[in-house]
Amino acid sequence: MNLPQTILTGTDYSDISFQALRVAGHLAQSWPARLVALHVIDRSELEDLRAQVDISEETVLERAQPQLDKSVRQMAGPEVNVETELIIGHPFAEILQAAERTGAGLLVLGAHGSGSERDRTGTLATRCVRKAPLPVLLVRENQDFPFRRITACVDFSETSREALLAAVLFARKENAALDILHVRRPPVPGFGDSAVPSGFSVFDIPLPPYQDASEYVAHQEQLFSEFLKPVEHALEGVAWNRHSLEDLNPAQAMAAFLRDSGSSVVVLGTRGRTGLRNLLLGSTAEKIIHRAPCSVLAIKPAGFEFQI
């Protein structure tokens, strides 16, 4: 992830969307970047209104624009330069089209909509994480800024390395501490069993012939070190620490770490393949997006595309 030249944020006049706007405004100022605030009037809701009131789409837009401008500028603050866009359509499709039209490098949304449960990520936000072809920052209601502590969750994949670099970028720009977290599951049963012959496999997956659990842990730590080597230069000047945990439920362990460490935002990579119409988040990433007590920045795999 490079510093975006344009940040796109969506607002539906809910408190959480205005909090996302404030966070986006802070980032746009500190990076700096152009900031665009988008409000989509849901076409289906508008049609329901027009069934009761004789009003044209042009009149709706004309009357709604001043209110949008006033609300956005009031919530963003007088020091933030923000453009507004008002569109009639389907919110999800219009957000993706606006991201492409504006050349946005980051999409900032409230973690839930006005009608969502506050402890769950909203449907629109989740769809954007899965399908928007750009990094998505989901802002929690309690989010403060500047960010004081950034956590990068890594699984040694290339996408998680991109997530780590994005976390380093955030930490550097915000002068924040950086935690690099890897949670491993305990060894598969049989790793420490001397009676298990070399070449034993589970579900046709060959298992390395570890002699005991300590060998498995040492191997995981070696992988961690090798994973960090290509980004050591990027970490220079950033206050960072690496953390290795072992838990049967990685998502639960990650959420507990985020809570106990007081992390401001967690950065994680998502999974997917170019050409697929859906992004497979992976069960752990999916759970973290819903359970994290802080804001979440989701980084897409290289080459990911989504066609509406």
Side-chain angles (χ1 to χ4, degrees), residues 11 33 40 51 76-77 85 97 113 120 144 167 172-173 210 213 233 235 245 247 262 269 285 298 300:
T11 179
V40 180
E85 286 198 11
Q97 290 175 8
R120 295 287 293 177
D144 197 5
R172 192 180 300 281
K173 295 298 291 186
Y210 297 121
H233 65 286
L235 290 166
L245 303 176
D247 200 287
K300 305 301 168 60

Side-chain angles (χ1 to χ4, degrees), residues 24-158:
H26 163 73
L27 296 177
Q29 278 194 301
S30 63
W31 286 4
R34 170 192 178 206
L35 177 60
V36 179
L38 171 71
H39 175 65
V40 180
I41 299 174
D42 193 305
R43 182 173 296 279
S44 62
E45 296 179 3
L46 178 59
E47 291 303 321
D48 290 340
L49 172 65
R50 294 182 65 193
Q52 304 175 51
V53 180
D54 184 16
I55 188 171
S56 67
E57 291 188 2
E58 292 74 15
T59 300
V60 169
L61 291 172
E62 182 180 342
R63 293 181 180 179
Q65 187 69 58
Q67 179 60 42
L68 176 63
D69 292 340
K70 178 181 178 181
S71 297
V72 166
R73 286 179 170 79
Q74 180 179 357
M75 291 299 174
E79 70 283 358
V80 177
N81 183 21
V82 54
E83 304 169 28
T84 61
E85 286 198 11
L86 180 64
I87 297 175
I88 297 173
H90 186 281
F92 170 70
E94 295 300 342
I95 287 174
L96 265 59
Q97 290 175 8
E100 181 177 8
R101 182 175 63 253
T102 62
L106 177 67
L107 173 61
V108 182
L109 297 172
H112 60 77
S114 56
S116 303
E117 297 179 28
R118 298 196 172 192
D119 60 346
R120 295 287 293 177
T121 304
T123 302
L124 177 61
T126 300
R127 290 189 71 190
C128 287
V129 168
R130 288 175 174 160
K131 300 179 179 181
L134 72 166
V136 179
L137 175 62
L138 300 183
V139 176
R140 303 291 184 194
E141 278 184 312
N142 60 352
Q143 180 67 65
D144 197 5
F145 52 86
F147 302 106
R148 297 302 183 190
R149 196 166 204 93
I150 312 295
T151 298
C153 291
V154 302
D155 60 5
F156 309 151
S157 66
E158 284 303 314

